Amino acid sequence: MSAAGSLLAVVPAAAVLLLTVAARPRAVGTVAPLRLAVVRAVLLAGAYAVLVVEVLGASHALTRPAFTVAWLFFLVAAALAAGLRWRRETRLGQSAAVVPQAVPVGAVVSGGGPEASAPTAERGAPAPAPPRAGRGPAGLLAAAVDTWRTARPGERLLAATIGGLVLVELLVALLAEPNNFDSQTYHLPKVEHWVAQGDLDFWPTAIHRQVTIPPGAEYLLLHLRLLSGGDHLYNLVQWVAGVVCLLVAARITAQLGGGRRAQLLTAFVLATTPMVVLQATSTQTDLVCAAWVACAATLALDGLRRRTGWGTLLGLGAATGLTAVTKTSGLIAVGPLLVLWGLAQLRLARTGSAAATEPAAGSVARRSRPVGGLARTVGGSVLILVVAAVVVGPFLARVTVEFGHPLGPPRLRESIPMERHDPASVVVNALRIGHTAFDTPLAPLRRAGAEVIISGAEAIGVDPQDRAITFGRELFPEPAWYPDEDRVAFPLAGVLAVIGAVIALGRPRQIAPERAGSLRAYAVVVLTAVLLHTAMIKWQPWGNRLLLYAVVLAVPLAGLWLDALFRRSDDPAPAAAGGASVGGRGRRSVATVAAVTVLATSALAGVLALSYGFPRRLVGAGSVFTTSDWDTRFLRRPQWADEFRWAATAVRDSGARRIGLVQQNDNWEYPWWLLLRQPDGGSPELVALQSVLPERPPADPASVDAIVCTGGKAACAKLVPAGWRLEFRGYVGYALPPGR
């Protein structure tokens, strides 16, 4: 990566930081305002990134200069917005300090953030100056120092563990080359095809996932690819998504009534979940999807207690669209969240509670009974859907034109979604998904659980390996305890979340006395999302990563329950009037010790996943410190590294310019884009000699200068023209015409 590429790659990050300054909420009493500003900034930047790709793709201008101009424009706009916000706050602060006026509390609003103002106080009460703490870097640093100073030792330990994991993950993300299996097959080749074409048109390919799977995460990678000139920063997309998930999960906990310790516990449980640890350094897409879903959740929860303004409506629309364009399974949770938001808005409109909405900058918020509450909620819902359609619509339109259906070809619609929805099949599917999600290294426990599920399925007339409820040719059960980014289970986080959900549904006042209604409603939404997932998505060995969005949503329930448990333990026990009080205190002590043990085990699991996880680890064979860049890319299949190089060297030495690809649906294509790149860094001319797209015929083998193959030699030989020389080594081969 060149120095210029490094500087350009910093531009999006700088723009998001400036947007965070500009997007701070105006309302007094907003929950976790800085985290809300981060949510707004990343949603705006994410939607902008997607729309830039769509607009420039439609203009056949997916080029580095075009992307550079787009981001410099965005940076300037963000800087102007941040500057205006800062000056307005400074002016309002000075006015309030010099000339206090008798206006309602919350009437003076320091512009920018689209959020409802706080309820007003009695008429004539003096308005305090806008709080300055945390308004700038110095204020944030002072607030952080004060928070650390007042924190308990346990809270400091939680925060230090979270920060340590995040920083080490950043190191791994920067050091490791992209080596995710699916990324070699379709995530990263997708980006290279766009760069080579200069547009988003579909292309002939034997790997349908390159064109049918939603490309939202790859759109973000495309920005880094064009700005930096390579793939060295690709892992940062998921790392940033992981940080966003931690921040938003903690904010959700605060919205549900959790204090500082509850928020730290939530972030701790999530940060130490092995799937989160491993995906935070990957080019997979599940954390990106989870981040967008979490953003939708926190904005929807804001709507439970106050009417939603235009800015938040736009944010909900952006979060919905970004989820849909990244991974459609995330909509399983976004849908119930939007329903919860809509019901809450209708309730607020009917009762007139928290009726004050976003005022214009500097205006006075009036508390009055809203008029046309139903129409306004319906209009807001339509706006959310319109914004979402703007974000995901262009991709869905291309898919519909190509395949006649917005969800792609039949093979995609039938491979992952459930094809049977009778209660017995859904129950069996849910049990298998749960078995894989809660898997542990205890093999006897795994076998016993699987045998019970298989026997139970047969007893109710369901084949546990039925293709209508099972992905591909996979067989249940499949071990999932090992720290592998594609399948690792989350038994600790899962158990804690289940306990938290049960308490939230049954006795919400035990863990959030002041937010019992909101907590129970949120728990219902999380449970609904999980049930819908098990009813709509087939079991597969890699299904745990598809559930990552649900884990992020559920962990706040675990944090709240743990905090309530520790809070009861902290309270001085009443004098023992009898054995019952002593027994109750003893039970609380046992529960507290058990919770601490689980948290310690969770921390150990996170550290071990980061240290020994696959396919990126700190120590042992394949360490990012001792393994070469090229070998790191092939840690999934080490035996292929030399084979790809051998074939690519022969093709380059032949002087071939137009190169044909022969491969199957799950073969690695990305190494060819790296090895056959032009001497000036330009994309090679790679064309597919097979195509699963009916309207995109493959290239004629006679029209290419060389052929490279992956998979089986027999499939390759069928496409090699007569008289060509075919060489093969295990997985990789090449063919050259006579004289080359």
Side-chain angles (χ1 to χ4, degrees), residues 88 92 120 136 142 201 317-318 355 395 408 422 429 518 658 672 683 717 724:
R88 183 182 298 117
L92 290 174
T120 58
D201 290 345
F395 168 70
D422 56 285
N429 193 56
S518 298
R658 181 176 166 87
W672 299 126
S683 299
W724 284 39

Side-chain angles (χ1 to χ4, degrees), residues 301-392:
L301 286 177
D302 278 338
L304 298 189
R305 305 182 70 83
R306 59 179 60 182
R307 297 306 304 276
T308 298
W310 293 106
T312 303
L313 290 173
L314 294 175
L316 283 169
T320 303
L322 288 168
T323 301
V325 81
T326 301
K327 214 174 190 71
T328 51
S329 57
L331 295 176
I332 294 173
V334 173
L337 285 167
L338 292 180
V339 170
L340 175 64
W341 168 85
L343 293 175
Q345 291 294 290
L346 290 175
R347 178 183 61 82
L348 292 173
R350 185 178 66 254
T351 62
S353 301
T357 58
E358 302 172 3
S363 65
V364 175
R366 297 181 177 86
R367 182 178 176 87
S368 60
R369 188 177 183 85
V371 179
L374 175 61
R376 177 176 172 177
T377 302
V378 171
S381 303
V382 171
L383 178 60
I384 292 171
L385 296 178
V386 168
V387 174
V390 170
V391 175
V392 71

